[in-house]
Amino acid sequence: MDRVIKEKIEEKRPYYFEKKVIEREMGKGAPRVDEFFKPNETVLEDIDLAQIRTDMKREGEDITTDEIVETTKIIPIKDHMIEITIYERKDQSDSKDKRKVMLFIHGGGFIGGDVRTKGNQCRYLAQQSGAVVISPEYRLAPETPYPGPEIDVIGTIDWIEENAERLNIDTDKMAIMGESAGGHLAINTCLKDEKQRMKLAVSVYGVMDLSKAEDTPYHWDYSLYQMAEEQKDYIMNRLFRFKELNDSMNDLYLQNGESTLDGEVSPLFSKHLDCLPKVLMIEAEFDYFRVCNQEFEKRMQEAGKDFDVIYYEGLDHGFFDRLGSLPQTQDCIDEIAKYIKEM
């Protein structure tokens, strides 16, 4: 296991947000301090799903310098169809050499997000890695709860395998990655893929435990984060917002009484971690899910798994969205591209 710590670029003091992060948070107004320790009393019927989905549609900038060919296709998955988008470098699209493939799963708490808003990240990853990047528009909750999104991701892998010759893809060099909920789907897909087709799995602050904070066996708490006193309210506010979102995500995604402590639901509790391929965990210092993901790292160690961690100081959940405005996002994709090249 290798653990790489990426230091902040502009803010040098420990336990502070990176400069661009605190500027963004301060621009949102005063933190909701009096709500931090209150139980979540949000009524499911009162959740404004349309607004949540709108808020999640944050596009990064296109920083590619090579021409990227983008193609959409409708593919069959069992009794329905979904759309996928394929990104490939123009200079490689006509190559006779078989290419590596990275399946990218967007985040959004299982209830939002889409392929388009992560399109620039996929373009840049295709440029830097030389791999064909394929991103599925999997179905979302609450319209399609668990395990619907997993079925769509596994079905996309099946389609890639069946069409490998036409796509000019090397099925022995397939990888999968996702951010946030997409990171969860990437890892859970590897755990449930009986053929074990993936050679690399990348989780960008993925959700390894779907449990609400009060239900976690390791007792999630604000005190598990070291925070500079000067920014404590802003840091806690960011953690609180994702704690709140996680509760809603849990209720909308798991609709049939599934237990989050079931290893089929939350990768953290899987008894089959030995089935995972090489894993790369991308983590952020002030991410709500950092605590459960560190527990996941411990369990992978116990299972003797080969995995690496890249840890970004001063950043929070969602930094992968900010391509072009946050240098660490570009650096993150560059690091992932290196792993794809080595695959």
Side-chain angles (χ1 to χ4, degrees), residues 147-160:
E150 290 184 1
I151 290 170
D152 290 353
V153 174
I154 293 175
T156 303
I157 297 172
D158 293 338
W159 181 86
I160 292 170

Side-chain angles (χ1 to χ4, degrees), residues 28-79:
K28 295 177 181 177
R32 296 154 60 182
V33 178
D34 57 349
E35 298 182 38
F36 291 165
F37 294 97
K38 289 182 179 179
N40 187 0
E41 297 177 350
T42 302
V43 178
L44 198 61
E45 290 81 357
D46 292 340
I47 293 174
D48 190 340
L49 187 59
Q51 187 59 55
I52 290 175
R53 285 175 171 171
T54 298
D55 292 344
M56 287 180 176
K57 291 186 177 181
R58 297 182 296 271
E59 290 189 63
E61 298 175 22
D62 185 356
I63 63 170
T64 53
T65 53
D66 295 342
E67 185 177 354
I68 304 297
V69 178
E70 182 178 328
T71 310
T72 59
K73 293 183 181 295
I74 303 294
I75 67 170
I77 306 286
K78 291 193 173 182
D79 60 352

Side-chain angles (χ1 to χ4, degrees), residues 43 102 127 182 187 198 206 247 250 340:
V43 178
M102 169 59 85
Q127 172 183 292
I187 296 297
M198 298 297 110
D247 288 352
N250 185 302
I340 297 173

Side-chain angles (χ1 to χ4, degrees), residues 99-130:
R99 299 166 296 170
K100 299 173 182 178
V101 62
M102 169 59 85
L103 185 62
F104 175 82
I105 317 300
H106 72 77
F110 309 102
I111 60 177
D114 59 26
V115 169
R116 183 181 61 82
T117 52
K118 293 298 183 297
N120 287 329
Q121 283 85 339
C122 290
R123 291 184 191 95
Y124 186 65
L125 180 62
Q127 172 183 292
Q128 296 302 94
S129 68

Side-chain angles (χ1 to χ4, degrees), residues 261-279:
L261 303 181
D262 184 342
E264 292 288 304
V265 176
S266 294
L268 176 60
F269 305 109
S270 173
K271 299 185 186 302
H272 308 290
L273 297 184
D274 56 314
C275 295
L276 288 173
K278 170 79 176 184
V279 174

Side-chain angles (χ1 to χ4, degrees), residues 249-262:
M249 177 180 78
N250 185 302
D251 292 333
L252 293 170
Y253 185 51
L254 304 176
Q255 298 180 21
N256 298 302
E258 296 93 350
S259 170
T260 56
L261 303 181
D262 184 342

Side-chain angles (χ1 to χ4, degrees), residues 238-305:
R238 187 68 174 160
L239 294 170
F240 167 74
R241 288 174 61 197
F242 278 94
K243 177 178 179 295
E244 191 176 44
L245 176 62
N246 185 59
D247 288 352
S248 300
M249 177 180 78
N250 185 302
D251 292 333
L252 293 170
Y253 185 51
L254 304 176
Q255 298 180 21
N256 298 302
E258 296 93 350
S259 170
T260 56
L261 303 181
D262 184 342
E264 292 288 304
V265 176
S266 294
L268 176 60
F269 305 109
S270 173
K271 299 185 186 302
H272 308 290
L273 297 184
D274 56 314
C275 295
L276 288 173
K278 170 79 176 184
V279 174
L280 172 61
M281 305 281 288
I282 308 287
E283 302 297 335
E285 182 176 7
F286 299 117
D287 177 19
Y288 169 79
F289 298 106
R290 193 202 78 199
V291 176
C292 72
N293 293 351
Q294 287 176 330
E295 291 292 321
F296 186 68
E297 291 171 25
K298 293 176 187 176
R299 300 208 177 194
M300 282 198 292
Q301 278 187 311
E302 292 168 358
K305 283 310 304 175

